[in-house]
């Protein structure tokens, strides 16, 4: 894994080769994720689309440097407006195709509302807080306390207890209950693909309803039956196929003038 030093500390990242004339895929992981927890999905999608790709772990995750804790309620906005722009600028990545999951999908949407992107793929996105979100996090906390989730996270993160505590504490904080990014959606004028499972443990399909109504640009919607919060891991081939179709039909003029990744 390669490491780059940013203003807020080191970040681990991985490049995947692809055609230099196509805009790269940039993968933004979930609230407990990191580069390694994407498994083979970024490689498979890069191969299927021919695009280069960039996968990175945010501060506090994987082998990246520590994050500020406790996390402020603005931490998703901070990532979208401060850290991600710095990372992409430093690596000369322009107009990417953002592929975000859960927290990463929210970051991708916030970034796309302010900066140019070729397209956004939002897997199990969060736009506002639902009771189902909080209930899912409480179940995750019980699993972590029981040891099952903590053992799994320990395989991927340098500090799993800090990773879980920083994430769950801010989401369950009373100050976070009013978190909502609906006001940013009209600023997203690039094509957006929305993917969610009908058995998502952390949200309902109201998230996609809200996005479809609020986005300033075109969108496509894919719902998977009998699928939970991680479509790219639970239904990897179908998720990959949906993204390939979306990029083929919606992203027509995204050729890069220079090698971007």
């Amino acid at each position: 894994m390669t490491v780059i030093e940013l203003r807020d500390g080191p970040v681990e990242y991985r490049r995947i080769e692809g055609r230099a004339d196509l805009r790269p895929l940039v993968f933004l992981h979930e609230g407990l994720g990191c580069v390694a927890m994407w498994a083979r999905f970024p490689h498979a999608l890069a191969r299927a689309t021919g695009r280069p790709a960039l996968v990175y772990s945010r501060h506090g995750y994987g082998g990246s440097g520590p994050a500020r804790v406790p996390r402020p309620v603005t931490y998703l906005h901070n990532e979208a407006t401060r850290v991600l722009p710095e990372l992409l600028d430093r690596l000369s990545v322009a107009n990417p195709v953002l592929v975000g999951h859960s927290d990463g999908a929210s970051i991708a949407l916030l970034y796309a509302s302010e900066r140019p992107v070729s397209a956004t793929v939002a897997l199990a996105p969060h736009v506002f807080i639902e009771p189902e979100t909080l209930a899912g996090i409480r179940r995750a906390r019980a699993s972590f306390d029981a040891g099952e989730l903590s053992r799994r996270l320990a395989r991927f993160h340098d500090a799993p207890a800090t990773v879980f505590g920083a994430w769950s504490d801010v989401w369950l904080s009373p100050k976070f209950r009013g978190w909502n990014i609906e006001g940013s959606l009209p600023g997203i004028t690039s094509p957006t693909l929305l993917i969610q499972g009908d058995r998502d443990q952390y949200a309902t399909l109201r998230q996609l309803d809200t996005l479809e109504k609020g986005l300033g640009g075109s969108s496509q919607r894919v719902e998977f039956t009998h699928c939970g919060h991680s479509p790219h891991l639970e239904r990897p081939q179908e998720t990959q196929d949906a993204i390939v179709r979306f990029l083929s039909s919606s992203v027509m003029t995204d050729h890069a003038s220079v090698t971007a990744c």
Side-chain angles (χ1 to χ4, degrees):
M1 203 83 71
T2 306
V3 174
I4 186 170
E5 192 71 38
L6 302 181
R7 286 191 301 261
D8 292 339
V11 162
E12 66 173 8
Y13 71 95
R14 178 175 295 155
R15 295 179 189 266
I16 302 170
E17 294 184 356
R19 285 175 49 184
D21 63 323
L22 293 178
R23 298 294 182 185
L25 305 165
V26 174
F27 290 83
L28 304 168
H29 62 75
E30 62 169 309
L32 297 177
C34 63
V35 170
M37 289 181 69
W38 282 103
R40 295 297 301 173
F41 186 74
H43 293 268
L45 186 58
R47 183 170 59 250
T49 61
R51 295 172 182 272
L54 170 68
V55 195
Y56 80 104
S57 299
R58 298 192 293 276
H59 290 112
Y61 295 97
S64 291
R68 172 188 168 193
V69 290
R71 292 192 183 277
V73 296
T74 57
Y75 82 102
L76 295 172
H77 288 78
N78 296 347
E79 186 73 25
T81 61
R82 175 183 168 88
V83 183
L84 182 56
E86 181 188 7
L87 176 67
L88 298 187
D89 289 347
R90 290 280 304 278
L91 296 178
S92 299
V93 175
N95 296 318
V97 174
L98 300 179
V99 182
H101 174 222
S102 191
D103 274 23
S106 302
I107 293 166
L109 292 165
L110 288 166
Y111 181 96
S113 73
E114 296 191 4
R115 288 183 172 238
V117 301
S118 293
T120 302
V121 177
L123 304 166
H126 295 291
V127 183
F128 56 92
I129 305 292
E130 295 183 277
E132 291 81 0
T133 309
L134 303 180
I137 295 171
R138 293 188 183 102
R139 288 192 296 269
R141 176 173 280 180
S143 176
F144 187 88
D145 291 342
E148 179 181 354
L149 182 55
S150 62
R151 286 190 293 271
R152 178 171 180 261
L153 293 179
R155 300 200 301 267
F156 300 101
H157 300 288
D158 290 345
T162 301
V163 167
F164 185 82
W167 169 75
S168 60
D169 287 351
V170 69
W171 276 86
L172 295 176
S173 166
K175 294 181 180 179
F176 204 66
R177 300 295 165 82
W179 179 85
N180 187 304
I181 64 170
E182 290 180 66
S184 297
L185 302 184
I188 304 173
T189 57
S190 52
T192 304
L193 175 62
L194 310 171
I195 300 179
Q196 189 173 1
D198 66 347
R199 296 184 179 177
D200 191 326
Q201 307 95 302
Y202 295 100
T204 73
L205 293 171
R206 289 177 56 215
Q207 302 288 335
L208 301 196
D209 296 339
T210 300
L211 279 158
E212 284 188 308
K213 294 175 183 177
L215 288 168
S218 64
S219 66
Q220 295 182 28
R221 174 172 177 157
V222 176
E223 297 176 22
F224 290 135
T225 58
H226 309 294
C227 178
H229 188 60
S230 301
H232 60 294
L233 299 179
E234 299 171 52
R235 306 282 277 275
Q237 189 61 55
E238 292 167 87
T239 301
Q240 174 183 302
D241 291 346
I243 296 172
V244 170
R245 288 193 302 269
F246 164 70
L247 294 178
S248 297
S249 64
S250 300
V251 185
M252 307 300 293
T253 58
D254 70 330
H255 291 276
S257 58
V258 295
T259 300
C261 183

